[in-house]
Amino acid sequence: MNWGSFSAFLHMGGYAFYVWSSFGLSFLFLALELLLLSSRRRTLLKRLGQIQRLNASRGSK
Amino acid sequence: MNMLAWILRRDLLLAMRRKSDVLTTLFFFVIMVSLFPLGVGPEPQLLKAMGPGVLWVAALLASMLSLGRLFAADYADGTLEQMLLCPESLALIVLAKAAVHWLASELPLVLMAPLLGLQFGLPGDALWVLTLSLLLGTPVLSLVGAIGASLTLGLRGGGVLVSLLVLPLYIPVLIFGAGAVDASTSGLGAGGHLSILGALLVLALLATPKAVAAALHISLE
Amino acid sequence: MSKINLYKFASPATFYGLAGQMIPGFAVLSAILFAIGLYISFFVAPTDAQQGEAYRIIFIHVPAAWMSMFIYVVMAVYAGVGLAFNTRLSAMMAQALAPTGALFAFIALFTGSFWGKPMWGTWWVWDARLTSQLILFFLYIGFISLQSAIDDPRRSDRAGALIALVGVINVPIIYFSVKWWNTLHQGASISLTKAPSMAHTMLAGMLIMAVACWTYTIAVALFRVRLIILERERHATWVSELLEDAK
C-alpha cells in the first residue's frame, strides 16, 4: 500500500490535477466512444426497421 | 518510351498554354513568404533563423495547392481513362506526369527561392544549399503528392482532403530540407542532410509511381 | 477444408453473428484487466523518487501510445489483405479500427501533455515522441476523412487501404526524421519511458493496461464492424430476416 489515507490518495503527492485529469479524461473518452457507438446502433436499427416496414407495406399493396 | 516522350511533350505544351497557372503558384509562394516578416516583425536575427523553415513550408504548401492540376484535366476529358487502357506501363506515365508537374509548378519556385532567401538575410552558402535542397526535395513532393491527387480524383472537397492526406507525408522532406540550410548556416555542413534528401528522392522515384498507378485504378474503376 | 471454413467466416453474414458472440467475452476481459491494471498503477507501483506521483500518468500514456501505433499496423495489414485478396470483410475491419486508433493517439497526446506540464513546465514540448505521436494522429485523420469522403464503398475501401499502406511505410521514415530533427535541436532531458529503479512492477502495470486497451479495442472494433456490415448489407435478405427476428 502506498497511501496512508484516502485523502493522500486523492492528493497524489501534489500532482492530483495532472494525474486525475489524465486518467479521468482518458476513461471519459473511452466511455464516450461506447456511448456514441451504441447510439449509432440504435438509430441504424430504427432506420433499417423503418425501411423494412415501408417495403412490406409497398409489397402488400 | 515513345509514349513517354509524347506524354512529356503534350503535358509540357499544355502547361505552357496555361501560363497563368504556373504564375499563380509562383506568386502564391512569393506572397506567402513575404507575409512572415509582416507577421513576426522585421528583426534580422529572427528572420535569418526562420528563413529556411518559412521558405520550405511555403514551398510545401505551394506544391500541395498545385496538385489538383496533376490529373484533374485529364480526368475531366476522359484522357486519363484512355491512359489506363493503353499498353504502356501506367507507372511510367505517372512518372512523366509528375515530372511535368515538377517542371511547371515547382522548378519556378526553386529558382525564385534564393531571391526570397536574400530578403531573410541568408548568407551566400546558405542560399546555395537552399536551392540544392529544394532541387532534391521538391520532386519528392510532386511524387508523394501524386498519391493524394490520384486518390481524391473527382471527390467533393478534394482539395482540402489532399492536404490532410499529403502534408503529414511531406514532413521528412521538410525536416531534412530546412535542416540542410540550418546546418549550413550553423557551420555543421549540409552534406548529411542533402544525401538523405537524395535517398528520399530515389525511394520516391522507385516506390510512388506504382502506388499512384494503383490509386488511379482504384479511383477510375 | 480449412479454406472453406475461412471463406465461411469471411462472409459478412456469418461474421456478423460470430462477432456478436465474441464481443461480451472481450468486453468482460477488458474490464477485469483495466481493474487489475489500475490497481497496480496506483497501489502496487511505488512512488518514483525523481518524478513523484506524476509518473503514474505513464500507466495510461504509454499503453495508449503503444496501442495507437499497434492499431495502425493492424489496420494496414487488414487493409493490405483486403486490397490483395479482395475480401470485403478485412476492409471493413480496417475501417472499424481507425476511430479507436485515432482515439488512443489522442489520449496519448493529452496524457503526454498532462505529464509534461509538471515535469517540463510547459504543456507541450516538441520532443521526438510527442511529435511523432501527433503526426500519427494526423495520419489517422487522413485515413478516416478519405474513407468518409468517398460514397462508393468499394472505392472507399480500396482508397483507404492504399493510404493506410502508404502511411505504414512512411511511419518509420517520419519517426526517424523527427528523431534526427529533435537531436539537432537538442532533445528533452527527461524521458517518459526511461525506467527508474522499479522497472518490473512498472512494466507489468503498463503491459496489463496495454492488454486491457487491446481487448477493449477488439470489443469496440467488432461492435463497429457489425454496424458497418449492417449498413452495407441492408438490402440483403439475411438482414431483413434478422430484423424480423428482433421484433
Side-chain angles (χ1 to χ4, degrees):
Chain A
M1 267 310 151
N2 295 316
W3 315 100
S5 65
F6 186 65
S7 64
F9 175 64
L10 283 184
H11 190 243
M12 271 296 144
Y15 293 114
F17 173 69
Y18 303 105
V19 174
W20 294 125
S21 311
S22 296
F23 280 89
L25 283 177
S26 300
F27 282 100
L28 184 76
F29 282 128
L30 294 187
L32 219 68
E33 187 187 21
L34 296 179
L35 222 79
L36 283 175
L37 270 177
S38 73
S39 87
R40 184 175 153 192
R41 181 183 160 80
R42 237 175 297 124
T43 47
L44 179 69
L45 286 180
K46 212 166 106 187
R47 214 185 67 216
L48 289 182
Q50 276 170 352
I51 292 173
Q52 196 167 34
R53 247 172 287 133
L54 213 71
N55 284 343
S57 67
R58 219 177 265 155
S60 65
K61 258 177 210 170
Chain B
M1 267 311 162
N2 237 346
M3 176 81 181
L4 208 65
W6 182 80
I7 288 184
L8 272 174
R9 226 177 74 87
R10 166 185 171 273
D11 279 17
L12 267 178
L13 209 68
L14 283 175
M16 284 304 108
R17 292 240 176 97
R18 279 180 299 216
K19 284 199 192 66
S20 66
D21 280 359
V22 175
L23 289 177
T24 323
T25 314
L26 184 63
F27 279 114
F28 169 80
F29 179 64
V30 174
I31 291 173
M32 166 113 196
V33 169
S34 318
L35 287 179
F36 276 86
L38 299 175
V40 300
E43 178 67 38
Q45 227 30 51
L46 184 66
L47 287 182
K48 198 175 157 190
M50 279 187 12
V54 167
L55 282 159
W56 257 101
V57 170
L60 243 63
L61 293 180
S63 130
M64 191 205 74
L65 280 179
S66 60
L67 281 176
R69 265 179 260 136
L70 197 49
F71 298 113
D74 283 347
Y75 175 68
D77 65 13
T79 321
L80 201 57
E81 234 158 311
Q82 300 300 318
M83 286 176 180
L84 251 63
L85 295 174
C86 88
E88 203 77 23
S89 142
L90 186 57
L92 274 181
I93 297 178
V94 166
L95 203 60
K97 292 191 82 66
V100 173
H101 175 259
W102 181 75
L103 281 174
S105 311
E106 292 180 34
L107 191 59
L109 309 191
V110 177
L111 299 178
M112 186 57 106
L115 225 64
L116 296 172
L118 276 178
Q119 289 188 318
F120 281 77
L122 294 180
D125 305 350
L127 290 179
W128 278 111
V129 174
L130 175 71
T131 316
L132 207 58
S133 70
L134 281 168
L135 267 179
L136 284 170
T138 46
V140 184
L141 302 184
S142 286
L143 287 164
V144 172
I147 300 177
S150 51
L151 282 176
T152 54
L153 266 184
L155 297 181
R156 59 198 138 72
V160 188
L161 195 57
V162 163
S163 64
L164 283 186
L165 294 180
V166 155
L167 285 178
L169 302 177
Y170 280 177
I171 289 168
V173 181
L174 170 67
I175 288 175
F176 290 109
V181 189
D182 273 339
S184 104
T185 44
S186 60
L188 289 171
H193 286 83
L194 289 178
S195 36
I196 291 179
L197 272 180
L200 286 177
L201 176 57
V202 172
L203 206 69
L205 278 172
L206 290 176
T208 50
K210 286 206 183 70
V212 178
L216 285 176
H217 276 295
I218 289 170
S219 297
L220 287 176
E221 212 163 63
Chain C
M1 251 345 249
S2 66
K3 204 169 185 183
I4 294 165
N5 274 334
L6 210 67
Y7 274 121
K8 191 167 159 248
F9 287 127
S11 112
T14 324
F15 191 75
Y16 182 86
L18 188 72
Q21 285 163 15
M22 289 186 330
I23 290 172
F26 281 111
V28 169
L29 196 63
S30 159
I32 295 171
L33 285 169
F34 267 128
I36 299 173
L38 285 175
Y39 180 77
I40 294 179
S41 341
F42 283 109
F43 297 105
V44 180
T47 309
D48 182 51
Q50 272 179 32
Q51 306 179 18
E53 308 296 351
Y55 94 98
R56 291 185 197 281
I57 294 173
I58 67 161
F59 287 112
I60 187 74
H61 171 81
V62 173
W66 282 344
M67 281 318 294
S68 63
M69 288 181 258
F70 183 55
I71 292 176
Y72 198 87
V73 174
V74 174
M75 196 179 92
V77 170
Y78 270 121
V81 169
L83 204 58
F85 301 107
N86 222 343
T87 43
R88 281 178 303 157
L89 190 60
S90 23
M92 292 185 204
M93 273 310 283
Q95 197 190 338
L97 280 167
T100 309
L103 178 64
F104 276 119
F106 184 66
I107 288 178
L109 280 176
F110 77 73
T111 52
S113 171
F114 272 116
W115 180 85
K117 180 65 183 162
M119 289 303 125
W120 290 322
T122 52
W123 288 104
W124 183 262
V125 173
W126 290 96
D127 93 314
R129 207 171 268 115
L130 277 181
T131 310
S132 21
Q133 193 70 51
L134 184 66
I135 297 168
L136 184 66
F137 182 64
F138 293 157
L139 289 178
Y140 272 118
I141 299 298
F143 176 86
I144 294 172
S145 39
L146 178 66
Q147 283 216 315
S148 55
I150 305 177
D151 296 326
D152 170 33
R154 188 173 150 77
R155 180 177 169 190
S156 144
D157 282 349
R158 286 153 52 91
L162 193 88
I163 203 69
L165 288 176
V166 170
V168 90
I169 293 168
N170 265 281
V171 161
I173 301 178
I174 291 174
Y175 182 72
F176 285 114
S177 52
V178 168
K179 227 175 157 153
W180 169 296
W181 162 80
N182 190 245
T183 45
L184 279 188
H185 300 82
Q186 62 88 43
S189 49
I190 324 171
S191 159
L192 254 180
T193 43
K194 204 153 279 166
S197 45
M198 61 325 180
H200 281 303
T201 10
M202 259 181 65
L203 193 65
M206 288 196 299
L207 280 177
I208 290 176
M209 287 295 276
V211 180
C213 290
W214 183 219
T215 43
Y216 167 87
T217 308
I218 295 176
V220 168
L222 287 177
F223 194 91
R224 193 178 282 119
V225 88
R226 288 183 87 203
L227 296 185
I228 297 172
I229 291 174
L230 271 188
E231 271 164 19
R232 296 247 181 121
E233 308 254 309
R234 58 177 178 270
H235 303 300
T237 42
W238 70 269
V239 173
S240 36
E241 279 161 18
L242 191 100
L243 290 173
E244 212 55 58
D245 290 347
K247 265 176 209 163

